[in-house]
Amino acid sequence: VRRDDFTPWVIIKVLHEIRYFAVCKDTRTQKKLLTEFVNCIFRKNESNARKKAPPVDYTDGLKLAENELKKIGIGGNYYGIEPYSGSNAMDKGEKEELKKLRARVAQQQQELDMYRRKPQGPQNPGYGAGSRQAEKSWNQMSGE
């Protein structure tokens, strides 16, 4: 690695600009595309280092990312996608399942709250026969 190598910043900036390849339909394709992109950047930097050329800059990195998208047949507008929510990759069935699971979690939370509100043990521990421990004589405690 060269001292003046700014490749990590280029990779992060390009991935952010390209929305971390969020246009992919599933995470497996997205992961494969991301790996291929980073490997392509490293290969390009390796060849540039042999030629004593500078590392890949932002515009070249963006072109490489767009080429990786074109290789799998995705083109067009990938800038309008929100990469952080992850909701775009979910189909209707997965969204319905998520709704059901969230409703179940809320119901179980309510049941837990109700259980915690139920009184445990005697209400007034200072009154009644159940509140005092049986007094033991000295002989009983010492085992004589």
Side-chain angles (χ1 to χ4, degrees), residues 1-3 11 15 18 38 42 48 53-54 73 75 77-78 80 82 84 91 100 102 105 111 124 130 137 139:
V1 178
R2 297 185 251 182
R3 289 183 302 148
I11 290 173
L15 286 175
I18 208 85
V38 172
F42 287 152
N48 285 354
N77 184 17
Y78 38 78
E82 175 61 40
Y84 301 110
D91 64 351
K100 288 177 186 176
R102 285 182 177 161
V105 166
E111 290 174 5
N124 297 322
S137 67
N139 291 337

Side-chain angles (χ1 to χ4, degrees), residues 89-100:
M90 296 176 73
D91 64 351
K92 189 175 182 179
E94 290 173 335
K95 286 181 182 179
E96 290 297 320
E97 182 181 355
L98 184 61
K99 270 186 176 178
K100 288 177 186 176

Side-chain angles (χ1 to χ4, degrees), residues 3-143:
R3 289 183 302 148
D4 59 338
D5 191 7
F6 43 83
T7 303
W9 289 281
V10 169
I11 290 173
I12 293 297
K13 179 67 176 165
V14 168
L15 286 175
H16 179 75
E17 192 69 30
I18 208 85
R19 306 297 191 247
Y20 296 93
F21 300 111
V23 294
C24 297
K25 297 295 180 194
D26 59 348
T27 56
R28 182 177 294 154
T29 307
Q30 185 179 10
K31 182 180 176 183
K32 181 181 176 188
L33 194 60
L34 185 83
T35 305
E36 288 296 320
F37 166 69
V38 172
N39 288 338
C40 186
I41 290 276
F42 287 152
R43 283 192 300 268
K44 183 83 169 164
N45 275 347
E46 183 181 2
S47 68
N48 285 354
R50 286 187 193 133
K51 298 175 191 174
K52 304 236 188 242
V56 174
D57 61 350
Y58 174 73
T59 55
D60 290 339
L62 198 56
K63 287 177 187 176
L64 289 172
E66 289 172 354
N67 287 339
E68 290 297 322
L69 281 169
K70 288 177 185 174
K71 280 183 189 177
I72 64 167
I74 297 175
N77 184 17
Y78 38 78
Y79 293 106
I81 294 176
E82 175 61 40
Y84 301 110
S85 64
S87 63
N88 293 336
M90 296 176 73
D91 64 351
K92 189 175 182 179
E94 290 173 335
K95 286 181 182 179
E96 290 297 320
E97 182 181 355
L98 184 61
K99 270 186 176 178
K100 288 177 186 176
L101 288 173
R102 285 182 177 161
R104 185 175 173 201
V105 166
Q107 178 187 5
Q108 288 180 346
Q109 185 65 42
Q110 287 177 349
E111 290 174 5
L112 182 63
D113 290 342
M114 291 296 290
Y115 175 76
R116 286 183 179 162
R117 287 185 204 145
K118 285 184 182 178
Q120 302 290 329
Q123 291 295 320
N124 297 322
Y127 300 104
S131 65
R132 290 189 226 156
Q133 293 180 346
E135 295 181 16
K136 297 181 180 180
S137 67
W138 175 255
N139 291 337
Q140 290 174 336
M141 290 192 302
S142 63

